Amino acid sequence: MKIKRSKISFCIVCKNSLHELKHTLRQNITDSENYDGVDFIIVDHNSTDGTDYWIKETFEYINTGIIKYYKIAEPRIGYAGLLKNIAFKLSEADIICDLNPHEYIGPDFACYINEVFEFNKGAVFISSVTGTHVSSTKTYAKLCLSKKHFLLLKGFDEYINKACAVIADIINRLQLLHLKHELITNTQYQRHYLADTETINFDEKVTVHKLFINYQSSSVSGIIVLYTDNLYIKGTLVNKATVDSENHIYAYKKRETSFRYDIKEPGWETGTWKLTQNESIHFTPVYGDEYIFIQSYNQYSTLKDISNNIIYYNIMNPEVINDIAIFNAMFYSQLIMSNNLKREYKERNNFEFGKAIVSKNFKWELPITI
């Protein structure tokens, strides 16, 4: 019996990903040539590296409809969930697949997708990761689902700010629909250009000015991060895998924790900071009274909380700074994802999601509101 061939869209959200697309896009189109009904939805989030010029000058596939290029006019800034929702809503296919700019789909991947969906009568989704929880800012996850189920879930969670957590979260919610989860195991469908390429960072980058740490125990440290835009965060970082390790109960009882690291209640203190005339740091929290920590440059660069006699030491190791930045970037995404899972939320966002104004195929004079 002849297998029905559904329309399939590969949705690529990109921002300054020209280098990766030059290696992957044409190959991915070639690998799909044996399957009629495939298109590539490219949603460009205000790239400045010439992505639009390259696609316009290089690809004849715009005219044939294999490539549909959209550039976002509004919003100028958006989390990964919103941007992926925009791309998925623009697709008119039956099956939509999230694809990172640096990913290869592999030969006849579209045929494989169609066979899986036909065999399971559409009650399935495909991915290369299992979902649950994520603790990394990197992901090479492919995800394919029906447009029907995407709309039923009201898309990716637009409050989650990291692409890896966005993918894991929607996988968790797809499983609540009792769909079969087809896990990609064939290595030819899991190739990438530059295996260490980080997932596109949809967020505006903020640079750490200084990091200060007050070591309290092997499991607990006070953290102050000063950013170059004069914002700061301050809190107590807890290693939940080792805290209270002297308690004998953990010798035989598994710890009930989803994440290794957490911020002690009441969470991050946030606000603005500035240098005083004597080089001390003046903190203005969003909630609470202003205060000053004394900055010293003796044997070590330190900040001293005079009222509590607590000293924070300036850490200049780039690996430690990067680890703290990664943790903070993932922290709120993990909380939202964990809450969605705990409360078994299927739908996220409000009635409207994936809202944007875009232009299609370089027709800047004809904006499209979605």
Side-chain angles (χ1 to χ4, degrees):
M1 186 176 71
K2 190 175 181 179
I3 298 177
K4 174 191 171 185
R5 289 205 163 190
S6 298
K7 292 182 178 179
I8 299 173
S9 285
F10 291 102
C11 297
I12 304 170
V13 177
C14 61
K15 182 172 184 178
N16 295 331
S17 303
L18 177 59
H19 181 68
E20 291 82 3
L21 289 172
K22 281 183 174 180
H23 287 81
T24 60
L25 185 54
R26 190 175 292 278
Q27 183 62 55
N28 286 339
I29 293 172
T30 299
D31 285 342
S32 305
E33 287 180 342
N34 293 333
Y35 191 93
D36 295 329
V38 165
D39 63 10
F40 289 79
I41 308 293
I42 300 176
V43 174
D44 186 347
H45 188 218
N46 306 303
S47 293
T48 56
D49 62 352
T51 295
D52 51 355
Y53 178 81
W54 176 73
I55 289 177
K56 185 177 182 179
E57 296 299 316
T58 307
F59 284 98
E60 65 279 10
Y61 301 110
I62 291 284
N63 295 330
T64 62
I66 293 176
I67 288 179
K68 296 180 176 69
Y69 174 82
Y70 296 90
K71 192 157 189 174
I72 297 175
E74 295 290 341
R76 303 296 295 178
I77 299 173
Y79 287 156
L82 168 61
L83 301 174
K84 290 179 185 294
N85 282 340
I86 293 169
F88 275 42
K89 284 181 69 177
L90 287 167
S91 168
E92 298 176 355
D94 308 300
I95 301 168
I96 39 184
C97 303
D98 182 62
L99 190 66
N100 287 307
H102 60 276
E103 289 184 299
Y104 295 106
I105 58 175
D108 297 321
F109 184 55
C111 296
Y112 162 74
I113 293 169
N114 189 69
E115 288 173 5
V116 170
F117 273 81
E118 281 299 301
F119 181 79
N120 291 280
K121 299 180 179 178
V124 66
F125 69 96
I126 301 171
S127 79
S128 55
V129 293
T130 57
T132 60
H133 298 284
V134 204
S135 57
S136 171
T137 57
K138 294 184 179 181
T139 179
Y140 308 129
K142 286 186 175 70
L143 173 67
C144 304
L145 67 154
S146 72
K147 182 71 175 279
K148 176 180 71 175
H149 292 136
F150 166 75
L151 294 174
L152 183 62
L153 294 177
K154 294 185 178 173
F156 297 92
D157 192 320
E158 296 187 354
Y159 295 95
I160 295 177
N161 67 352
K162 286 295 166 183
C164 49
V166 163
I167 294 293
D169 174 75
I170 202 168
I171 288 174
N172 292 338
R173 293 188 287 122
L174 284 164
Q175 290 173 329
L176 294 175
L177 298 179
H178 305 293
L179 303 175
K180 179 183 176 182
H181 185 182
E182 174 82 8
L183 197 62
I184 299 171
T185 57
N186 191 329
T187 55
Q188 72 173 342
Y189 301 146
Q190 300 185 51
R191 293 175 55 239
H192 315 91
Y193 171 70
L194 298 180
D196 61 346
T197 301
E198 282 220 2
T199 301
I200 177 175
N201 180 14
F202 299 104
D203 315 313
E204 297 298 305
K205 291 187 177 180
V206 179
T207 306
V208 173
H209 174 64
K210 284 186 178 181
L211 168 67
F212 293 90
I213 294 181
N214 167 249
Y215 178 84
Q216 298 175 18
S217 74
S218 58
S219 303
V220 181
S221 293
I223 305 287
I224 299 175
V225 183
L226 306 181
Y227 294 102
T228 53
D229 61 358
N230 290 102
L231 297 178
Y232 78 90
I233 57 174
K234 177 175 177 285
T236 303
L237 184 67
V238 179
N239 184 338
K240 297 177 78 172
T242 60
V243 69
D244 298 328
S245 54
E246 67 279 2
N247 190 334
H248 69 279
I249 194 172
Y250 294 121
Y252 58 86
K253 182 180 178 182
K254 185 178 179 180
R255 293 173 183 266
E256 296 181 0
T257 177
S258 301
F259 312 118
R260 178 166 184 174
Y261 296 101
D262 199 359
I263 294 296
K264 189 176 180 180
E265 291 295 335
W268 286 120
E269 173 186 303
T270 61
T272 58
W273 68 273
K274 64 180 180 181
L275 280 174
T276 64
Q277 288 184 344
N278 63 356
E279 293 293 307
S280 294
I281 306 293
H282 183 280
F283 292 96
T284 305
V286 174
Y287 303 104
D289 298 327
E290 300 177 4
Y291 56 91
I292 292 177
F293 281 7
I294 305 300
Q295 190 168 203
S296 300
Y297 300 96
N298 297 322
Q299 185 177 358
Y300 304 101
S301 174
T302 63
L303 273 182
K304 187 172 184 179
D305 175 0
I306 300 295
S307 59
N308 296 301
N309 198 31
I310 296 174
I311 296 177
Y312 292 80
Y313 291 88
N314 182 208
I315 305 299
M316 292 180 285
N317 186 317
E319 291 185 9
V320 176
I321 294 172
N322 187 58
D323 286 345
I324 295 295
I326 288 174
F327 168 78
N328 185 46
M330 286 297 301
F331 180 66
Y332 290 107
S333 292
Q334 288 178 330
L335 288 181
I336 296 170
M337 200 170 74
S338 179
N339 185 60
N340 290 349
L341 190 62
K342 182 179 179 180
R343 297 178 181 273
E344 297 188 351
Y345 286 147
K346 296 175 185 176
E347 298 179 4
R348 291 299 292 149
N349 311 309
N350 297 318
F351 294 104
E352 297 179 331
F353 62 97
K355 292 186 64 178
I357 299 174
V358 301
S359 57
K360 180 181 180 181
N361 293 344
F362 314 103
K363 296 178 181 178
W364 317 121
E365 73 281 4
L366 299 173
I368 301 169
T369 301
I370 60 171

